Amino acid sequence: MIRTALDQIALQVVDLHKYFEDSHVLRGISFTANRGEVVALLGDNGAGKSTLVNCLAGKLLPTRGEILINGTKQVINSPIKAQNLGISVVYQDLALIKEMSVVENLFLNREIMHSNTLLNRLGWLDKKAMEMRANKLLRRLGGEGIELQLPVSMLSGGQQQIVALIRAVNAGANIIVMDEPTAALGSEQCNQVIRLIRLLSSQGATIVLISHNLGQVAKLCDRAVVLYQGQTVADIAVKEVTQLELLALMSGKQCDGVSANQFSEYKS
Amino acid sequence: MIRTALDQIALQVVDLHKYFEDSHVLRGISFTANRGEVVALLGDNGAGKSTLVNCLAGKLLPTRGEILINGTKQVINSPIKAQNLGISVVYQDLALIKEMSVVENLFLNREIMHSNTLLNRLGWLDKKAMEMRANKLLRRLGGEGIELQLPVSMLSGGQQQIVALIRAVNAGANIIVMDEPTAALGSEQCNQVIRLIRLLSSQGATIVLISHNLGQVAKLCDRAVVLYQGQTVADIAVKEVTQLELLALMSGKQCDGVSANQFSEYKS
Amino acid sequence: LGHSSTTYTLTPEQSANVQGARLSAAMAWHGSSPWISAVTKGAKAEFKRLGINVIAVTEAHYDPAKQVSDLETLTALKPDILLSLSVDSLSTKPSYLQLIKSGTKLVLLSNPISGFSHGADFAGIVKDDVKGMGEAAAQLVAKALFDKGRVGVIYHEANYPITNHRDSAFRKALKRFPDIKIVSEKGFVKKNQTAQLAAAMMIQHHDIDAIYVSWDAAAEGVIEALRISGHKDTKVITHDLGVNNLIDMALGGNMFGTVSDRPNEMGKLMARIGAGAAIGLDTPLYTQVHFNTVTRENIAASWQIAFATELPKLLQQVLKQSEQVKVPE
Amino acid sequence: MMKLSAQVTANTLVYYTFVLTVVVFTFVLHSSAFFSVENWLNIVRQTAPIVVMAIALNVALSAGQLDLSIGAVVALSGLIAALLLPEYGVVIASVVALSLGGAIGAFNGYLSLRLAVPSLIITLGTMVFLNGFVRYLSGLESIPILNKPFLALFGGGSIWGVPTLLLWVLGIAVSVYCVFNYVQLGRHLLATGANVTAARAMGVNTIKVRIIAMSLSGFLAALAGLLYAGRMQSARYTLGESELITVLAAIAIGGCSLLGGKVSIWGTVLGVWLIGILNNGLILSGFSSDVQMMMKGVILIVAVGITFRARKQ
Amino acid sequence: MMKLSAQVTANTLVYYTFVLTVVVFTFVLHSSAFFSVENWLNIVRQTAPIVVMAIALNVALSAGQLDLSIGAVVALSGLIAALLLPEYGVVIASVVALSLGGAIGAFNGYLSLRLAVPSLIITLGTMVFLNGFVRYLSGLESIPILNKPFLALFGGGSIWGVPTLLLWVLGIAVSVYCVFNYVQLGRHLLATGANVTAARAMGVNTIKVRIIAMSLSGFLAALAGLLYAGRMQSARYTLGESELITVLAAIAIGGCSLLGGKVSIWGTVLGVWLIGILNNGLILSGFSSDVQMMMKGVILIVAVGITFRARKQ
Ligand SMILES: Nc1ncnc2c1ncn2[C@@H]1O[C@H](COP(=O)(O)OP(=O)(O)OP(=O)(O)O)[C@@H](O)[C@H]1O
Ligand SMILES: Nc1ncnc2c1ncn2[C@@H]1O[C@H](COP(=O)(O)OP(=O)(O)OP(=O)(O)O)[C@@H](O)[C@H]1O
Ligand SMILES: [Mg+2]
Ligand SMILES: [Mg+2]
């Protein structure tokens, strides 16, 4: 697979901090992700991964620190802003509207409007087009069995996750952040997601992937950024470490192969 | 590890069907689980696993079919009934009350009351006792970092799952049904859960485990019941099949090693 | 035509004519109160005597829109006679006209409707001597204070002609007593506010000797406030009769006196005028009903005149007790 | 206990019709006047402004906002129109009244979001303020309306035998129905009402959407005010004041949740009509007003109970 | 946008005090009578039954149920007590009135769950029915109460200089506060209100809990009725009728959500007092009632806005 423009930094996070009242959840997160790269974000439960994702998504405002998109410093103060910056997110809690149907969720805020100019102005929806599109998208990720008109609350856990994934991927974003996107998926669906991620990154998208499945990470990712209690403790090429070493890093232990300082080289 | 009373059937499901309006989701589920056994419930996304769990938990009433607990036919028409029958469940969606704190969730409906007889009668809570107990329980599953007084909504995804697990395990039930209990957990926590399940089953509890992680299933389970589109297509000893064979069964393919009919021996 | 009267009667033949005509009647009131119940009762009794069938009674919760709806609904019944008190003459006028067009004879209580002509549009108005009642209330205040003292006024702050006129008649009449001063005036929108208003008034003016309130139900709150704040000697003067305040009066509480009209008689008169109009008789434009000034001494008699019913049991008991108490006085 | 779809469902209609029929038959036994065309047109006319108020509240609720000020906006709008009509004519008077309604709604929405105070409290404040203001403005007098075009447009007249008020009701109901079923805005309103957090995460401008919901609610309430004024040929400070509870009842009966994210336009229309029919039938039946109220309560519970059971099956 | 804890928080108190002070100072400029002990006791007495009503509604809301019938139950309870007192004495009269309140609440709860109809609609039906019934029962007359022990117990008197009504308010508030903070029932009420599905899945008997919530609400409403009757030394069919909106406002100001799962007893008490102080201060200020209403609206928005902003920080 050919990685394009690997040297272009798409996303850079510099010394990010986040407090919730007086609990200091992110205590200095720094890492970079290049164009077309798949970066794993690893860490134990409660390490702060989702909090970081929320900061990138504009759902939370970091207390301190910088986020650079394509080299420019940005204040991501709302999900709309994140969207405009080309960031798309699969949230751990999916953030779907359970009462609304699958199509409605897939196209919320990205509705396909009627082609007639007048109706288009009014925001008149082209329901047919959306359904056709949705069917195509679902097939791509093994979601053929999902009934388009069913409210999301009636889908199985895995089916809901597929819907959230498709929604995020369909945004045509340059940076896609995925918070445990395969946690509820079966093996076959998992593989389809892995193939999709490969495809997207080959097309130049930057992927930040959170996963507890180290096997998947080893197969898929170029680099791994390890968080421990809200701090980045390592940022290393996946090929250079074993899974055991990664586990050690995640539980706060130093390991022989990589020193925690090693990752400071990546810092600008 | 010594399995006690393996021949006693703790849970038996016979030809269970469930319709949602006109969609036929469970189309004949039959399997048994013996005392002290760990039974895996496998199936693709949307196969009907969680629906089956909901029927066992008393959240849904099956349209047709029978459930026998310790050999007696039971109509499980409410979660209270299930609880009284000694069934405890970790739901896929966790079913925690997000607005309430961790302790409150752990002890909801199992509150420790004040020892003073009068106050006890009034239902006066012994908050101290509950906190101490909660701390002990959390430590057992790697949840030391979880703040007891925080509302569950503020916990990380994995932390929430730990809380739900502990709550279910703490009920002292004979039959524990776990719907993807490790989906959001890190490797270390996963291992702790595996150890816990082994301990519980060695103490005589029957465990029904739903998991997409076949490696985990192979390590932990005695038997695997495979669902495909709402039907049981296999019920086999885990040792007798390879992961690939299981995958084939889950995707509806017959496989050489085991015929689908084989499981009919387990029926009745 | 256009004459005023204090009574209206039907001769026996006229009554017989009415009975033969098999008429129907409806009533559309503005709201509900013991007073309007007494009017309804009087009217119903008279209608019954005249063989007229009462087919519907509505009350509008003091909401003109509701009254318009009520009137429109009544058109479907096509009553021959309609007795009504209009909440708001302007907005109800079109609906009255609709009824009148279909042949209904309209008898009004208290409030006229501007632009309606007597005979053509309506049969007559039965009303109180509003000015006289206001003046009588002023007399009562003077009597309570021995012509000298400070007065508070708690008045109905809404567009409602009867009470508005009565209140201003009271104010005007009180000016005839040079040593009586109105020191505070507060308006209420809903009658359950009067306790708050009275309490506030007494806090600002500890030395108020008497309070005038627009009507009886509103006076209950005033008496409650006076009682709780310990102002035993402040007298309350109002209009209409209510058991609760009469008991207070009988027991020598804050309630000093009230001016009562005769709702039962009003109902009877309205019924008769409606019946007369329905068989084509001439009817008076205005029919005015007398009022009574009620104090401790004449409670029982006034009740009988106003409501034509037995005195309520509790009130009877209290009156008996207080007479016994009064003996040694 | 699962929440139902946020979609607008039309199939509940059947059950309402059923309930209506039950109610109708209850009265048939008592009164034949009930069944005249005239009487039915009466009911339609009487309930028209209330239907529009109920739709207004429905729009606010769809986005999870509660608007208690609609009653007061009704009074204000009617009054403003009545005051402006003699000098400025029907166009300016209506436009000013409607814009004012929309502006008050927008103000409510903006303030509630800016101060992070529930819309319930803000609109309660606005309601109390406006109640005082209309009393002040009108001097407690009714203002007559003599302007012919205004009365023709908003009043109790008819076009080809169909009451203008019915046309208004149907026109507004159809438009709002379309917004919720076929237009992007409708989706965003419902998404915001069902789950603000998720809608925001998906990039919906929930603040804008909620302000739009409140403005639309204010605008429609103002329109209800014009319809009231037209029907009564006058405006009064008490207009719409006491209808809030009717409107809430109608909406709840209609199947719209007070928790947001759901909307049921035709259910609401039928809900108001049901209450209108009840009032009308009970008056025609000749009961005293005490008994009328008692029966109203009982019938309400029974009718709704039947509806809900029927819907569940 | 994250939901806050379902726990009862006492720390918001500070902010209310702050708002109260602001409001107080607004009036200080106008009237010195405002600051007399007499006036403050006066406010406490006048608001006492409303506080109890508000706590009643709070209990219902905690379990996610809305109880619109509390106003009507207040009237019924007062009336029943007044009618029974002369013959049966204080004990029987109060017990019957209170039990009736509890029974009506239980009936509401049972019916709402049995018919699967929102409690809003059922209690609306009950409210309308009872409104009619109390009118019928009372014949629109006030029923006087002369029973001395009853008046001493529920009335406007004092014990050691403290108004009995204040003792009632504090007693009830403390008890209900304890239930929600220290007793199993409170947890179950809040859990049911926050998330019925999850509470049910955890084995809470949500049906029983919600019926208990409604019964308690009815019981407390009936108690409010006795306090009203005691204070007014009479019972009227209109008692409590028009207080529903005040009660809703107070609860919303007090920080209790109308969506259930949250409760704020002291916030509610202070909310009612805030509204009481506002009314009192405005009356003392001598404005006309139009201006009073306008100012009330503005102050309400401003005060609550300040409170919410302060609380957020
Ligand atoms: N709103 C909040 N208030 C207080 N603490 C919070 C809040 N949100 C998150 N936290 C805390 O921040 C920590 C990190 O949470 P986060 O969700 O980022 O973890 P995570 O790395 O995604 O874990 P997981 O793998 O379990 O999803 C947790 O300990 C959590 O309790
Ligand atoms: N209330 C409902 N109404 C209609 N269909 C439903 C409902 N609940 C579940 N289903 C359907 O039943 C099927 C099985 O769902 P279930 O949740 O049991 O799957 P599962 O095996 O648990 O899948 P997963 O591994 O993704 O959790 C799904 O296709 C789902 O759409
Ligand atoms: Mg996470
Ligand atoms: Mg599942």
Side-chain angles (χ1 to χ4, degrees), chain C residues 1 124 263 325:
Chain C
L1 287 178
V325 174

Side-chain angles (χ1 to χ4, degrees), chain E residues 14-28 34-35 40 274 277:
Chain E
V14 194
Y15 306 118
Y16 290 103
T17 326
F18 175 56
V19 176
L20 288 180
T21 329
V22 172
V23 176
V24 165
F25 276 100
T26 321
F27 297 121
V28 164
F34 182 74
F35 261 124
W40 288 90
L274 177 67
I277 289 175

Side-chain angles (χ1 to χ4, degrees), chain C residues 31-32 59 61, chain D residues 289-290 293, chain E residues 79 130-141 237-238 241:
Chain C
S32 52
E59 63 112 338
H61 301 296
Chain D
S289 60
D290 311 347
M293 282 170 92
Chain E
L79 218 55
L130 288 179
N131 279 344
F133 184 66
V134 291
R135 284 159 166 258
Y136 170 79
L137 196 66
S138 69
L140 306 181
E141 290 281 0
Y237 67 98
T238 51
E241 198 182 48

Side-chain angles (χ1 to χ4, degrees), chain B:
Chain B
M1 204 163 289
I2 305 147
R3 293 275 146 82
T4 51
L6 241 178
D7 43 20
Q8 270 178 269
I9 297 180
L11 169 69
Q12 184 167 15
V13 173
V14 184
D15 197 29
L16 213 68
H17 287 256
K18 176 69 192 175
Y19 287 80
F20 288 111
E21 271 147 52
D22 35 50
S23 91
H24 195 172
V25 171
L26 299 186
R27 313 149 153 262
I29 306 271
S30 306
F31 72 93
T32 56
N34 297 324
R35 281 203 65 192
E37 210 178 20
V38 182
V39 177
L41 207 58
L42 303 178
D44 224 344
N45 291 130
K49 304 180 295 296
S50 300
T51 307
L52 175 58
V53 169
N54 285 336
C55 290
L56 295 174
K59 273 184 83 177
L60 287 176
L61 211 56
T63 316
R64 177 146 49 87
E66 290 179 6
I67 297 172
L68 292 86
I69 308 293
N70 297 325
T72 330
K73 200 184 137 182
Q74 301 284 0
V75 179
I76 312 178
N77 51 13
S78 79
I80 302 173
K81 183 75 180 284
Q83 207 166 286
N84 293 340
L85 291 170
I87 301 174
S88 175
V89 180
V90 183
Y91 294 97
Q92 188 172 16
D93 64 1
L94 307 184
L96 296 173
I97 294 177
K98 302 240 168 172
E99 294 85 351
M100 294 182 100
S101 75
V102 174
V103 221
E104 284 171 343
N105 268 284
L106 284 178
F107 289 97
L108 187 65
N109 208 29
R110 282 177 213 146
E111 291 85 356
I112 302 178
M113 246 70 92
H114 206 279
S115 52
N116 178 312
T117 334
L118 177 70
L119 288 177
N120 193 303
R121 282 261 169 78
L122 283 173
W124 204 270
L125 304 171
D126 190 343
K127 290 191 179 185
K128 272 249 176 67
M130 287 193 276
E131 273 179 36
M132 274 166 52
R133 191 73 205 285
N135 262 324
K136 226 160 79 186
L137 288 166
L138 281 173
R139 241 175 288 135
R140 194 167 149 190
L141 273 185
E144 304 87 353
I146 299 176
E147 173 79 71
L148 283 184
Q149 299 304 338
L150 223 52
V152 165
S153 63
M154 292 187 184
L155 299 185
S156 83
Q159 290 170 335
Q160 293 185 12
Q161 195 151 40
I162 293 172
V163 172
L165 252 163
I166 292 178
R167 190 189 144 82
V169 166
N170 186 33
N174 299 321
I175 301 172
I176 307 178
V177 184
M178 299 184 175
D179 199 348
E180 311 198 17
T182 58
L185 296 188
S187 320
E188 180 45 30
Q189 273 79 3
C190 256
N191 290 334
Q192 271 169 312
V193 171
I194 290 175
R195 253 174 276 145
L196 178 71
I197 292 178
R198 288 221 176 99
L199 177 69
L200 290 168
S201 85
S202 77
Q203 288 168 349
T206 306
I207 312 256
V208 178
L209 176 71
I210 294 174
S211 175
H212 287 299
N213 185 335
L214 294 183
Q216 200 179 63
V217 168
K219 257 199 281 180
L220 190 58
C221 302
D222 303 304
R223 237 152 13 89
V225 176
V226 183
L227 305 195
Y228 176 69
Q229 296 193 343
Q231 281 179 303
T232 24
V233 291
D235 180 346
I236 46 186
V238 169
K239 280 185 197 124
E240 292 172 14
V241 280
T242 63
Q243 291 196 19
L244 277 177
E245 282 168 335
L246 281 177
L247 276 175
L249 283 169
M250 281 159 65
S251 56
K253 290 165 205 140
Q254 298 278 322
C255 65
D256 308 332
V258 268
S259 84
N261 288 337
Q262 192 175 339
F263 92 100
S264 61
E265 292 166 25
Y266 289 86
K267 251 183 159 176
S268 83

Side-chain angles (χ1 to χ4, degrees), chain A residues 58-59 79-80 83 91 95-97 99-100 104-105 108-109 111 113 122-125 127 130 153-154 167, chain D residues 2-7 178 181-184 187-188 190-192 194-195 197-205:
Chain A
K59 273 184 83 176
I80 302 172
Q83 208 167 287
Y91 294 97
L96 296 173
I97 295 178
E99 294 86 351
M100 295 182 99
E104 284 171 344
N105 268 284
L108 186 65
N109 208 30
E111 291 86 355
M113 245 69 94
L122 283 173
W124 203 270
L125 303 171
K127 290 190 180 188
M130 286 193 276
S153 63
M154 292 189 184
R167 190 190 144 81
Chain D
M2 194 163 287
K3 277 194 201 168
L4 284 168
S5 164
Q7 266 200 305
C178 285
N181 279 275
Y182 301 112
V183 174
Q184 191 188 29
R187 293 258 168 113
H188 288 199
L190 290 173
T192 305
N195 188 340
T197 324
R200 203 175 94 89
M202 293 206 214
V204 173
N205 191 337

